[in-house]
Amino acid sequence: MADLNNLISPFFLNEKEIRKIIELVFFSYRDFTAGPDQILEKLNFGRAHHRVIYFVGKKDKITIKELLRVLKITKQSLSRVLNQLVKEGFILVSTGSDKRTKNLSLTTSGLSLENELSTIQITKIKKVISNFNKEDIDGFIKILYEMIEADNKATFQHLNE
Amino acid sequence: MADLNNLISPFFLNEKEIRKIIELVFFSYRDFTAGPDQILEKLNFGRAHHRVIYFVGKKDKITIKELLRVLKITKQSLSRVLNQLVKEGFILVSTGSDKRTKNLSLTTSGLSLENELSTIQITKIKKVISNFNKEDIDGFIKILYEMIEADNKATFQHLNE
DNA sequence: ATAATTAAGTCAATATGGCTGACCTAAATA
DNA sequence: TATTTAGGTCAGCCATATTGACTTAATTAT
């Protein structure tokens, strides 16, 4: 992944500079989730609902088990959030071909909410990266990816097959 | 900030690719906080305690007001967490020169815990970026910074003056 | 000198998002 | 037929955050 002719020493960034990165991650993540949080609040939903809507939108007919692997929460935690989304008409549950499983899909209003929430984040990213060149964007994406642990890399890849 | 000779069209990344970035941010943030979370759990602390310890370590003698501006939580929320940290001997409170204010500092064990937690994240970042060249790392840092809203950019700058 | 503002603290109630443990049903598979 | 798997449910617990109302003490402005 790295160009061997251009490898930096691990000490190119000293500890003080690394600490700045820790802060940038904290502040940027908080600001990144703040937009959707505001929309969700009006519906009496939280970030957990957003995640479910996002990943059901990402992978139509996703099963409970798959969703649990992505979210890494307990089924009891998912259950509460999911039941609310179903009851309020944002998600539709159907039985899978393996009749033990269930397939989740967004309803029309689910799709609409998903869109509203994602648009905020997509617009933000588009706006930010429009000020950078291909090399910067590549670096951003590649390093983000390498920050992920192996098992979640697999989950990410699987989601994007 | 961007090289005008190398500006990309905002459509260089299509929506599908932008959505991948959303996922990378989610997974990487979760994995980034997972390490410290494990340590904190043993002490019956949570991520909120980590943040307080981090920023008190960052800026010795920080006041409650400053800390509230950084963390963007209510004083009631901070109060609970901070009182625990004081009671358990990780943070020391003294009166400021303006006698209405209080200055927070890490005790010896506070410093030791701060170090243990930060080392996990610093080591991780060092390990990750050691595989990338200067351009990639620059892109990563610059784009992270631009993901932050103006008021928090100011907070970040202030912390690093 | 008094009034207003500021920094900090506190009490109470509420919501969200997570957890563990125990237990159940129905369907698929060994 | 026995076991495993997918999913659900009840109950209780904890952490993190919120709003609102109110207090104290110190500083600053009039």
Side-chain angles (χ1 to χ4, degrees), chain A:
Chain A
M1 176 149 291
D3 176 358
L4 288 175
N5 292 324
N6 204 359
L7 269 181
I8 59 151
S9 143
F11 304 109
F12 167 66
L13 294 182
N14 61 32
E15 178 161 325
K16 205 172 170 184
E17 291 172 294
I18 305 267
R19 279 180 180 269
K20 286 189 194 175
I21 296 180
I22 292 179
E23 293 153 33
L24 290 176
V25 167
F26 169 64
F27 289 124
S28 65
Y29 187 80
R30 195 175 60 182
D31 283 348
F32 189 56
T33 51
D37 283 355
Q38 264 189 293
I39 306 277
L40 292 157
E41 209 181 5
K42 295 175 203 155
L43 298 165
N44 285 309
F45 288 158
R47 212 171 284 175
H49 301 82
H50 185 189
R51 288 176 196 139
V52 171
I53 286 174
Y54 180 88
F55 286 111
V56 173
K58 177 78 182 189
K59 193 175 160 88
D60 187 49
K61 302 201 173 169
I62 193 170
T63 64
I64 304 285
K65 192 195 175 187
E66 288 172 314
L67 196 47
L68 287 174
R69 198 191 55 192
V70 171
L71 297 175
K72 282 196 170 175
I73 57 175
T74 59
K75 62 179 171 177
Q76 296 92 324
S77 293
L78 174 57
S79 171
R80 182 177 27 77
V81 169
L82 185 56
N83 286 336
Q84 287 175 306
L85 289 167
V86 170
K87 190 175 290 170
E88 303 196 26
F90 293 95
I91 284 182
L92 195 94
V93 184
S94 57
T95 302
S97 51
D98 177 338
K99 284 172 190 166
R100 290 172 304 179
T101 67
K102 292 190 174 171
N103 297 135
L104 308 176
S105 303
L106 295 179
T107 62
T108 306
S109 29
L111 200 60
S112 157
L113 177 57
E114 199 288 327
N115 216 58
E116 192 184 359
L117 298 171
S118 288
T119 296
I120 294 171
Q121 297 189 319
I122 289 169
T123 303
K124 174 159 195 163
I125 293 176
K126 275 190 180 171
K127 193 182 160 198
V128 168
I129 67 176
S130 70
N131 293 308
F132 292 92
N133 59 40
K134 189 177 183 316
E135 285 65 43
D136 288 327
I137 299 170
D138 269 4
F140 178 64
I141 293 175
K142 287 188 295 184
I143 294 179
L144 266 190
Y145 179 71
E146 288 307 323
M147 298 279 290
I148 302 177
E149 298 299 324
D151 59 331
N152 292 319
K153 278 183 184 169
T155 299
F156 171 79
Q157 298 293 358
H158 180 253
L159 274 171
N160 286 291
E161 265 162 17

Side-chain angles (χ1 to χ4, degrees), chain B residues 46-49 51 74 76-77 80 98-100:
Chain B
R47 211 172 285 175
H49 301 82
R51 288 176 196 139
T74 59
Q76 295 92 325
S77 293
R80 181 183 29 81
D98 177 338
K99 285 173 189 165
R100 291 171 303 178

